[in-house]
Amino acid sequence: MASMLHLFLLLGSLTVVSAGNFYQDFDITWGDGRGRILNNGQLLTLSLDKASGSGFQSRNEYLFGKIDMQLKLVPGNSAGTVTAYYLSSKGSTWDEIDFEFLGNLSGDPYILHTNVFSQGKGNREQQFYLWFDPTADFHTYSILWNPQRIVFSVDGTPIREFKNSESIGVPFPKNQPMRIYSSFWNADDWATRGGLVKTDWTQAPFTASYRNFKAEACVWKNGVSSCASSNSPSATQGSSAWLSQELDSTSQDRLKWVQNNYMIYNYCTDAKRFPQGFPTECRTP
């Protein structure tokens, strides 16, 4: 672990910094025209109607990075809809880092659902309300993923930290490159109040909007990381601070503030779900 971190710190200045143009960085992957790139590549929208949702994925794969995206969610009655924005690898033992926004009736808050999968195992859900209306304007949702930790942040405020606990037998995403994905779909069988509230299709089409993508990251291409070779044509000079970034005391206080005031579900406190004892990572400070 220490030697791997040392390598990344030595080569961290080679991390790719991408301040995004959606035409260059992403492909609309499904939705039959419901996903659109607008404003000369500065805006992307996904739409959902009764026939279909839509989605996109990044052209690059990443192995560690700090990923920022601004989202503006569906206003009004968004019950039954889910907007997912996440990192994921492929295969049966995939890794994944999830933001999912669960729609709600007009006037009720969105639920921000987070999860971390490692080696195909998830079940690490934490859910939050937000301290603002995510439909009124764009807000920045960030994933910091380095060899020591994963940090979910909203407008620079950390809401969740998942530490590398391999030393006590908990797999950590560190070997599988991941793409960025987003999808917007109907999940009214479970998304809102456990499926009790259905999607109101008279409000369709629903639209979620994306802008200001930024990635400070190690791009994985043809089995090689852009952080591991000074000859990489895609490597550009950029700050590598994120590769060893941790939460300072101010960030830790903000994390506690969010978790004390806005967390509505934490798998690490769900005794009914884990009668034989909480998952191993829940027992570490």
Side-chain angles (χ1 to χ4, degrees), residues 68-113:
D68 299 334
M69 184 81 81
Q70 290 194 327
L71 278 73
K72 184 178 180 182
L73 301 178
V74 177
N77 181 1
S78 58
T81 70
V82 172
T83 309
Y85 158 57
Y86 60 103
L87 291 167
S88 183
S89 64
K90 295 292 189 182
S92 59
T93 56
W94 77 100
D95 297 334
E96 187 170 315
I97 305 169
D98 290 341
F99 277 113
E100 290 187 297
F101 303 88
L102 311 185
N104 219 328
L105 291 170
S106 182
D108 290 341
Y110 262 82
I111 292 174
L112 173 51
H113 176 100

Side-chain angles (χ1 to χ4, degrees), residues 1-9 64 147 164 166 174-175:
M1 181 70 203
S3 61
M4 182 178 71
L5 174 59
H6 183 62
L7 171 65
F8 274 101
L9 291 178
F64 302 123
N164 185 331
E166 286 182 309
K174 69 171 190 180
N175 297 317

Side-chain angles (χ1 to χ4, degrees), residues 45 49 56 65 79 93 116 168 171 189 218 220 229 247-248 261-262 272:
T45 61
D49 56 36
F56 65 83
T93 56
V116 176
I168 57 172
D189 56 332
C218 300
W220 187 266
S229 170
L247 297 182
D248 60 20
N261 292 281
Y262 295 97
K272 289 183 180 179

Side-chain angles (χ1 to χ4, degrees), residues 141-219:
Y141 301 90
S142 305
I143 294 169
L144 169 67
W145 171 36
N146 66 29
Q148 304 84 42
R149 59 187 39 82
I150 294 163
V151 179
F152 298 79
S153 298
V154 179
D155 290 337
T157 294
I159 65 169
R160 176 176 185 177
E161 180 180 29
F162 182 81
K163 294 181 179 179
N164 185 331
S165 298
E166 286 182 309
S167 61
I168 57 172
V170 180
F172 184 82
K174 69 171 190 180
N175 297 317
Q176 300 187 73
M178 298 197 260
R179 293 187 193 274
I180 303 164
Y181 295 88
S182 189
S183 55
F184 185 31
W185 81 99
N186 176 48
D188 67 3
D189 56 332
W190 64 269
T192 306
R193 295 182 58 200
L196 293 177
V197 182
K198 301 302 182 182
T199 304
D200 180 1
W201 293 112
T202 67
Q203 306 294 314
F206 304 98
T207 300
S209 302
Y210 303 73
R211 72 179 189 190
N212 290 352
F213 163 69
K214 181 182 178 184
E216 296 176 58
C218 300
V219 173

